[in-house]
Amino acid sequence: MTVTEDRPSYKWVGTRPIRHDGYDKVVGKARFAADLNLPGQLHAAILRSPHGHARILSIDTSTAEAMPGVKAVVTAADFPALDVGNPEHDVAMNLMARDVVLYVGHALAAVAASTRAEAQAAAAAIEVEYELLPVVLSLDESMADGAPLVNDDNRTAFSGSDEPSNLATVTPLERGDVDGAFEAADLIVEREFDTAWVHQGYIEPHACVVDVGADGKADIWASSQGHFRVRSQTAAVLGWDTARVKVTPAEIGGGFGGKTTIYLEPVAARLSEKSGRPVKITMSRDEVLRATGPAPASKARIRIAATNDGELTAIDGWIGYAVGCTNDMAGFIGAMSVASYRFPNLKLEAVAALTNTPKSAAYRAPSAPQAAFAIESVIDEIAQLLEMDPIDLRLKNAVVEGDPTAMGSPHPRIGFVECLEAIRDSDHYRSPVPEGTARGVGSGFWFNIGEQSSATVNLNEDGTATVITGSPDIGGSRASMALMAAEELGIDVYRITPVVADTESVGFTDVTEGSRATFATGMAVVNACRELIDQLKTRAATILGVEADAVDWVDGAAVAEDKDPLPLADITAKAKSTGGPLTVTASLNAGGAGPSFAVHCCDVAVDEETGQVTVLRYTTAQDAGTAIHPSYVEGQMQGGTAQGIGWALNEEYVYDDDGTMLNASFLDYRVPVASDLPMIETIIVEVPNPAHPYGVRGVGETGIVPPMATIANAVSRATGARLTSLPMSPPKVLAVLDDR
């Protein structure tokens, strides 16, 4: 279902063609990083720390180097030591431990051998002597007075201090008279919340193949969300010029933010350089869970004041994120994510603190789900106490264009109210709540980003087109690029071939994150097409014998008065005689990324004997601006919801006292499977973003923000008790039921 504001009608934008890369993926032809095998290729294995925090006294690789099949061994000594102020210092430290290991699973050394079994055996033979150090595993431990330092190299960002600290960031925000508002309030609700570390759960483990040639240049094949970032980070960690590295993007089997950084590529490059052979590294699932970035764990204290008629007059809160072993912007981004309601009086502090756990990574709207879980839960409790419809309460306080975010900047044109109204008017919300179930509502926001993108559009002699971009396709962006190009050029979408090119074949493009690809890279495609149309009109004028300004472009053809339309294919067929190849590259640093809102509604049943929560019905409404390919917008909405359900009910990292993860497999780390989920109903709301030619707002992230609060609010109504700790696993539900 789609709810659309008045906007132009389009021929291709908003349709649902079969994706151009669909066939290859369905039949197994698509090539992921682990699918590539080069002649003479070696396999690598990585030795990882068994300790949560320890000083490395010595590493002896001599036995490993002499073992059968071994061609190269590397340790941190094989990489340059980057200064603390270097932007990639933390990436290098996480990639290969230097002097100190910071978490269980931290890489210490790597071996390349003829077979993977030989590499694993040799890695296991490396002898390491440690001095154990204190292990810090929680936010409270990290922030306690006199706490041991997690990482001696960490400095609190933006603080101006050069003193080592466990704090990554501290972001205070304040406006209005918060104390006065609470004194005057009719109702105050205050709660504390916590969430566990959770992983993105992508199916494809990290993998790469690297071949360093005799000329010193590295060819890298990698699955990532941004191969230009792979290039820059790999070069920085190796101490190389960027020009020495070429990265070819393989298909990506899921990322969700977790493949926006590197874990393997420089290691494989150094092993290849030392051995003179290509090197492949593929992580096991155990390594993925122990040594790549989960979303931060969090704690929050939220206090909200309201009047008896439902006006939210003030918020006072603290949100903390446990971000792992190196600095992270989770706290700062969490503060940016509080933007859904008109709090005239606001006082918030968002902090991030280090722990001896894997360096955290983005996970679909990073930091926003934790903040929304806390704030939306308190707002729902206010609605219950006031006996007010939860959507009516939100509508009364929802931000609109011009209202300030928590950071103080005014909202542009947004669609939050429209999303609330879409759920309010939905069949789901208007239907009676089935007996034995309860219904919850939650909202979410993500600011979206623009950043740098490039696109090249080539017109072929037969009138077909190739659209070349540098944005890895993690959500159907190839189809979106083709649709926008088809709309601009006026040709069939299947006459367009969308290509994701390597770092030497397309202009610089930032990583696919922040819901930016369809917005920013799509804008580059549109700009390139529009410049091409100008060229086509000029060529057509030459062919038709008229002035250039007498030519219009209509439905894929040049049109001039008293002349027959000249189709694109007729112009490209004469390109050589009218000026040469028709090709345009457009690059930009996109501004105006439109914020996106989502509102969710779900029905749950709670088994009071077992504590199991079953989600029976789920509906999501989200503002896409304009849905370029509605099927993939719906898929993003459903995917984010499914992951949010897992975060709400099942998923968590379980550590022992020494920092060893006890559930490092998909048998024990419980992601939802199809039988755990209802059919997720979608309502696409379209409030066009005026900063984009087609009104696009990114949609990939907002969908994961509301589910935890939505489900918690339903559980509260089902049980009469408020759950404030995620996941809401059966033991936690039973404990709350017993305390009623």
Side-chain angles (χ1 to χ4, degrees):
M1 177 180 175
T2 303
V3 178
T4 304
E5 273 200 349
D6 291 338
R7 64 164 175 81
S9 60
Y10 301 115
K11 180 176 181 180
W12 288 108
V13 165
T15 63
R16 303 172 185 256
I18 296 171
R19 61 190 295 167
H20 295 68
D21 56 332
Y23 175 81
D24 285 354
K25 289 180 175 175
V26 168
V27 302
K29 185 180 177 183
R31 298 179 72 189
F32 298 83
D35 292 328
L36 181 66
N37 292 292
L38 297 179
Q41 174 180 287
L42 303 175
H43 296 266
I46 296 174
L47 175 68
R48 300 185 180 276
S49 169
H51 303 297
H53 197 195
R55 194 172 311 283
I56 304 168
L57 300 180
S58 65
I59 299 179
D60 184 354
T61 63
S62 58
T63 300
E65 290 168 353
M67 291 179 69
V70 172
K71 306 299 181 184
V73 179
V74 297
T75 67
D78 292 284
F79 299 87
L82 302 186
D83 295 336
V84 171
N86 188 300
E88 305 301 347
H89 171 272
D90 286 353
V91 172
M93 173 182 285
N94 190 52
L95 195 90
M96 190 66 70
R98 183 182 296 273
D99 301 326
V100 177
V101 294
L102 300 176
Y103 58 94
V104 174
H106 200 167
L108 288 153
V111 177
S114 299
T115 68
R116 192 171 185 183
E118 289 173 333
Q120 290 171 332
I126 295 172
E127 298 178 4
V128 185
E129 185 180 358
Y130 302 93
E131 175 192 340
L132 298 184
L133 299 171
V135 177
V136 175
L137 293 175
S138 73
L139 200 63
D140 290 339
E141 291 172 14
S142 179
M143 298 183 66
D145 290 341
L149 287 173
V150 170
N151 178 348
D152 291 347
D153 288 346
N154 182 67
R155 307 291 185 269
T156 304
F158 316 125
S159 69
S161 172
D162 197 42
E163 292 298 314
S165 171
N166 281 346
L167 287 176
T169 58
V170 179
T171 306
L173 302 170
E174 189 168 0
R175 67 168 177 256
D177 180 5
V178 172
D179 292 340
F182 276 99
E183 288 177 8
D186 297 320
L187 175 66
I188 298 172
V189 174
E190 182 173 2
R191 290 280 185 182
E192 295 190 4
F193 301 86
D194 66 84
T195 71
W197 286 283
V198 294
H199 200 269
Q200 299 85 354
Y202 35 81
I203 300 302
E204 178 205 25
H206 296 262
C208 69
V209 177
V210 182
D211 186 11
V212 179
D215 59 357
K217 292 190 67 174
D219 275 325
I220 298 176
W221 292 265
S223 292
S224 81
Q225 292 178 233
H227 44 298
F228 284 90
R229 181 175 289 179
V230 172
R231 181 182 69 172
S232 62
Q233 290 185 331
T234 298
V237 170
L238 293 170
W240 290 1
D241 292 335
T242 303
R244 288 183 64 181
V245 181
K246 173 186 175 182
V247 184
T248 300
E251 295 294 342
I252 179 170
F256 315 111
K259 291 180 181 173
T260 57
T261 188
I262 59 171
Y263 298 100
L264 305 174
E265 288 80 1
V267 176
R270 193 64 89 200
L271 288 168
S272 177
E273 185 181 39
K274 292 184 76 170
S275 65
R277 306 261 291 274
V279 172
K280 175 190 280 191
I281 309 180
T282 303
M283 280 190 173
S284 66
R285 182 63 55 187
D286 181 274
E287 288 180 296
V288 169
L289 288 168
R290 293 189 194 278
T292 67
S298 75
K299 296 191 72 173
R301 296 189 294 272
I302 299 295
R303 184 168 63 125
I304 295 178
T307 62
N308 285 330
D309 65 353
E311 181 185 355
L312 304 177
T313 58
I315 182 171
D316 180 12
W318 180 91
I319 307 173
Y321 297 85
V323 298
C325 63
T326 64
N327 206 292
D328 188 279
M329 294 292 109
F332 178 74
I333 297 172
M336 293 176 65
S337 302
V338 180
S340 298
Y341 302 101
R342 288 189 309 271
F343 289 109
N345 306 286
L346 176 147
K347 185 177 182 180
L348 288 172
E349 184 178 68
V351 306
L354 274 62
T355 48
N356 289 119
T357 56
K359 172 182 173 60
S360 65
Y363 182 12
R364 239 182 169 144
S367 301
Q370 298 94 320
F373 168 57
I375 294 170
E376 290 288 318
S377 293
V378 172
I379 287 174
D380 188 72
E381 189 166 354
I382 290 171
Q384 287 180 278
L385 292 170
L386 293 176
E387 298 183 346
M388 189 172 180
D389 181 274
I391 290 184
D392 288 344
L393 176 65
R394 287 169 170 83
L395 279 168
K396 186 179 183 69
N397 296 278
V399 289
V400 296
E401 184 176 1
D403 285 335
T405 67
M407 307 296 285
S409 57
H411 277 292
R413 181 70 179 97
I414 52 177
F416 185 25
V417 168
E418 289 82 353
C419 289
L420 286 163
E421 292 172 340
I423 289 292
R424 180 198 63 191
D425 299 337
S426 68
D427 174 73
H428 183 176
Y429 198 72
R430 292 166 66 88
S431 66
V433 180
E435 184 176 352
T437 70
R439 181 166 294 162
V441 170
S443 300
F445 160 86
W446 181 248
F447 46 84
N448 292 327
I449 62 173
E451 295 193 330
Q452 302 171 96
S453 283
S454 299
T456 297
V457 180
N458 298 326
L459 295 180
N460 305 314
E461 59 271 26
D462 61 354
T464 59
T466 305
V467 174
I468 304 169
T469 71
S471 291
D473 184 351
I474 62 171
S477 58
R478 282 190 184 93
S480 295
M481 302 304 146
L483 283 164
M484 284 183 277
E487 194 70 47
E488 289 292 324
L489 296 173
I491 62 176
D492 191 288
V493 70
Y494 293 117
R495 290 180 64 78
I496 295 172
T497 301
V499 174
V500 182
D502 64 68
T503 53
E504 293 182 354
S505 302
V506 71
F508 182 87
T509 299
D510 275 312
V511 67
T512 300
E513 65 179 357
S515 297
R516 63 169 297 276
T518 298
F519 170 74
T521 305
M523 197 183 301
V525 170
V526 169
N527 290 351
C529 288
R530 290 182 177 178
E531 187 174 338
L532 267 176
I533 289 169
D534 288 340
Q535 293 186 21
L536 287 165
K537 288 160 65 176
T538 300
R539 305 290 183 95
T542 299
I543 297 169
L544 296 172
V546 300
E547 296 295 323
D549 58 7
V551 179
D552 291 322
W553 192 260
V554 180
D555 292 333
V559 177
E561 190 174 353
D562 298 327
K563 302 287 185 179
D564 291 335
L566 191 64
L568 184 148
D570 289 355
I571 303 170
T572 57
K574 298 180 179 180
K576 185 174 183 179
S577 61
T578 58
L582 284 155
T583 180
V584 169
T585 294
S587 297
L588 51 78
N589 192 359
S596 177
F597 288 82
V599 180
H600 290 194
C601 172
C602 78
D603 295 350
V604 306
V606 178
D607 188 322
E608 298 206 0
E609 292 186 358
T610 66
Q612 180 179 351
V613 177
T614 302
V615 180
L616 300 172
R617 187 175 183 183
Y618 206 108
T619 301
T620 164
Q622 185 171 326
D623 180 13
T626 297
I628 302 297
H629 193 305
S631 294
Y632 299 123
V633 171
E634 291 163 352
Q636 292 285 348
M637 295 165 67
Q638 292 165 331
T641 297
Q643 290 176 311
I645 290 171
W647 200 335
L649 297 179
N650 302 111
E651 297 182 40
E652 62 179 323
Y653 274 38
V654 179
Y655 287 110
D656 68 13
D657 292 341
D658 297 321
T660 299
M661 187 180 180
L662 301 178
N663 59 331
S665 75
F666 276 161
L667 289 174
D668 300 310
Y669 180 88
R670 180 75 163 80
V671 300
V673 296
S675 58
D676 296 318
L677 301 170
M679 294 299 292
I680 297 167
E681 302 165 51
T682 60
I683 304 171
I684 300 174
V685 175
E686 293 187 311
V687 178
N689 172 16
H692 188 275
Y694 289 104
V696 167
R697 301 177 192 274
V699 298
E701 310 201 48
T702 313
I704 202 172
V705 182
M708 289 77 82
T710 301
I711 295 169
N713 294 339
V715 170
S716 170
R717 284 172 162 75
T719 63
R722 175 65 57 179
L723 273 83
T724 60
S725 179
L726 297 184
M728 293 176 284
S729 55
K732 288 183 182 177
V733 174
L734 286 176
V736 170
L737 292 175
D738 290 343
D739 289 341
R740 285 183 302 182

Short mmCIF file of all heavy atoms in Angstrom, two decimals, residues 84-105:
data_model
loop_
_atom_site.label_atom_id
_atom_site.label_comp_id
_atom_site.label_asym_id
_atom_site.label_seq_id
_atom_site.Cartn_x
_atom_site.Cartn_y
_atom_site.Cartn_z
N VAL A 84 48.68 8.21 16.97
CA VAL A 84 47.36 8.22 17.61
C VAL A 84 46.42 9.17 16.89
O VAL A 84 45.23 8.91 16.75
CB VAL A 84 47.49 8.60 19.10
CG1 VAL A 84 46.12 8.84 19.72
CG2 VAL A 84 48.23 7.50 19.86
N GLY A 85 46.90 10.27 16.37
CA GLY A 85 46.05 11.23 15.69
C GLY A 85 45.69 10.87 14.26
O GLY A 85 44.87 11.54 13.63
N ASN A 86 46.28 9.80 13.72
CA ASN A 86 45.98 9.39 12.35
C ASN A 86 44.53 8.91 12.26
O ASN A 86 44.07 8.13 13.11
CB ASN A 86 46.93 8.27 11.94
CG ASN A 86 46.83 7.91 10.47
OD1 ASN A 86 45.79 7.52 9.98
ND2 ASN A 86 47.94 8.05 9.76
N PRO A 87 43.79 9.35 11.24
CA PRO A 87 42.37 8.94 11.13
C PRO A 87 42.16 7.43 11.09
O PRO A 87 41.08 6.96 11.47
CB PRO A 87 41.92 9.60 9.83
CG PRO A 87 42.86 10.72 9.60
CD PRO A 87 44.18 10.28 10.17
N GLU A 88 43.16 6.69 10.63
CA GLU A 88 43.00 5.24 10.53
C GLU A 88 43.76 4.49 11.62
O GLU A 88 43.95 3.27 11.54
CB GLU A 88 43.46 4.75 9.15
CG GLU A 88 42.77 5.43 7.97
CD GLU A 88 41.26 5.28 7.95
OE1 GLU A 88 40.72 4.44 8.71
OE2 GLU A 88 40.60 6.01 7.18
N HIS A 89 44.16 5.21 12.67
CA HIS A 89 44.89 4.57 13.76
C HIS A 89 44.08 3.44 14.37
O HIS A 89 44.58 2.33 14.59
CB HIS A 89 45.26 5.59 14.83
CG HIS A 89 45.82 4.99 16.09
ND1 HIS A 89 45.02 4.58 17.14
CD2 HIS A 89 47.10 4.70 16.46
CE1 HIS A 89 45.78 4.07 18.10
NE2 HIS A 89 47.04 4.14 17.71
N ASP A 90 42.80 3.70 14.68
CA ASP A 90 41.99 2.70 15.34
C ASP A 90 41.71 1.51 14.42
O ASP A 90 41.63 0.36 14.88
CB ASP A 90 40.67 3.32 15.80
CG ASP A 90 40.85 4.22 17.02
OD1 ASP A 90 41.96 4.25 17.57
OD2 ASP A 90 39.87 4.89 17.40
N VAL A 91 41.56 1.77 13.12
CA VAL A 91 41.37 0.67 12.17
C VAL A 91 42.60 -0.24 12.18
O VAL A 91 42.49 -1.47 12.23
CB VAL A 91 41.12 1.22 10.75
CG1 VAL A 91 41.12 0.09 9.72
CG2 VAL A 91 39.79 1.97 10.71
N ALA A 92 43.79 0.37 12.16
CA ALA A 92 45.03 -0.41 12.16
C ALA A 92 45.18 -1.20 13.45
O ALA A 92 45.58 -2.37 13.45
CB ALA A 92 46.23 0.53 11.97
N MET A 93 44.84 -0.56 14.58
CA MET A 93 44.95 -1.23 15.88
C MET A 93 44.01 -2.43 15.96
O MET A 93 44.36 -3.49 16.51
CB MET A 93 44.64 -0.24 16.99
CG MET A 93 44.57 -0.86 18.38
SD MET A 93 44.14 0.35 19.65
CE MET A 93 45.70 1.22 19.80
N ASN A 94 42.82 -2.27 15.40
CA ASN A 94 41.85 -3.35 15.45
C ASN A 94 42.22 -4.48 14.49
O ASN A 94 41.95 -5.65 14.74
CB ASN A 94 40.46 -2.81 15.10
CG ASN A 94 39.36 -3.82 15.34
OD1 ASN A 94 39.25 -4.39 16.42
ND2 ASN A 94 38.55 -4.06 14.34
N LEU A 95 42.87 -4.11 13.38
CA LEU A 95 43.22 -5.08 12.35
C LEU A 95 44.28 -6.07 12.82
O LEU A 95 44.23 -7.26 12.49
CB LEU A 95 43.72 -4.33 11.12
CG LEU A 95 43.80 -5.13 9.84
CD1 LEU A 95 42.49 -5.03 9.08
CD2 LEU A 95 44.93 -4.61 8.97
N MET A 96 45.25 -5.58 13.57
CA MET A 96 46.34 -6.43 14.05
C MET A 96 46.86 -5.84 15.36
O MET A 96 47.35 -4.71 15.37
CB MET A 96 47.45 -6.53 13.01
CG MET A 96 48.51 -7.57 13.29
SD MET A 96 47.89 -9.28 13.23
CE MET A 96 47.58 -9.50 11.48
N ALA A 97 46.72 -6.58 16.45
CA ALA A 97 47.09 -6.08 17.77
C ALA A 97 48.58 -5.74 17.82
O ALA A 97 49.43 -6.51 17.37
CB ALA A 97 46.76 -7.11 18.84
N ARG A 98 48.88 -4.58 18.36
CA ARG A 98 50.25 -4.11 18.52
C ARG A 98 50.48 -3.83 20.01
O ARG A 98 49.86 -2.94 20.57
CB ARG A 98 50.49 -2.85 17.71
CG ARG A 98 51.92 -2.32 17.74
CD ARG A 98 52.03 -1.04 16.94
NE ARG A 98 51.76 -1.26 15.53
CZ ARG A 98 52.69 -1.62 14.65
NH1 ARG A 98 53.95 -1.79 15.03
NH2 ARG A 98 52.38 -1.80 13.39
N ASP A 99 51.30 -4.60 20.65
CA ASP A 99 51.66 -4.45 22.06
C ASP A 99 50.58 -4.98 23.01
O ASP A 99 50.89 -5.60 24.02
CB ASP A 99 51.97 -3.00 22.43
CG ASP A 99 53.11 -2.43 21.61
OD1 ASP A 99 54.05 -3.20 21.28
OD2 ASP A 99 53.08 -1.23 21.27
N VAL A 100 49.29 -4.72 22.71
CA VAL A 100 48.22 -5.09 23.63
C VAL A 100 47.06 -5.67 22.83
O VAL A 100 46.72 -5.17 21.76
CB VAL A 100 47.72 -3.86 24.43
CG1 VAL A 100 46.54 -4.23 25.33
CG2 VAL A 100 48.85 -3.27 25.26
N VAL A 101 46.46 -6.77 23.36
CA VAL A 101 45.20 -7.25 22.80
C VAL A 101 44.06 -6.65 23.62
O VAL A 101 44.16 -6.52 24.84
CB VAL A 101 45.10 -8.79 22.79
CG1 VAL A 101 46.13 -9.37 21.84
CG2 VAL A 101 45.27 -9.38 24.18
N LEU A 102 42.98 -6.27 22.94
CA LEU A 102 41.93 -5.49 23.57
C LEU A 102 40.62 -6.24 23.73
O LEU A 102 39.69 -5.72 24.36
CB LEU A 102 41.69 -4.20 22.78
CG LEU A 102 42.90 -3.27 22.66
CD1 LEU A 102 42.58 -2.08 21.78
CD2 LEU A 102 43.36 -2.80 24.04
N TYR A 103 40.50 -7.45 23.16
CA TYR A 103 39.28 -8.24 23.32
C TYR A 103 39.57 -9.66 22.87
O TYR A 103 40.53 -9.91 22.13
CB TYR A 103 38.11 -7.65 22.52
CG TYR A 103 38.36 -7.54 21.03
CD1 TYR A 103 37.98 -8.54 20.14
CD2 TYR A 103 38.97 -6.40 20.49
CE1 TYR A 103 38.21 -8.43 18.78
CE2 TYR A 103 39.20 -6.28 19.13
CZ TYR A 103 38.83 -7.30 18.28
OH TYR A 103 39.06 -7.19 16.93
N VAL A 104 38.75 -10.59 23.32
CA VAL A 104 38.87 -11.97 22.87
C VAL A 104 38.51 -12.01 21.38
O VAL A 104 37.41 -11.61 20.98
CB VAL A 104 37.94 -12.91 23.66
CG1 VAL A 104 37.98 -14.32 23.07
CG2 VAL A 104 38.34 -12.94 25.13
N GLY A 105 39.44 -12.48 20.57
CA GLY A 105 39.25 -12.49 19.13
C GLY A 105 40.09 -11.48 18.39
O GLY A 105 40.13 -11.48 17.16
#
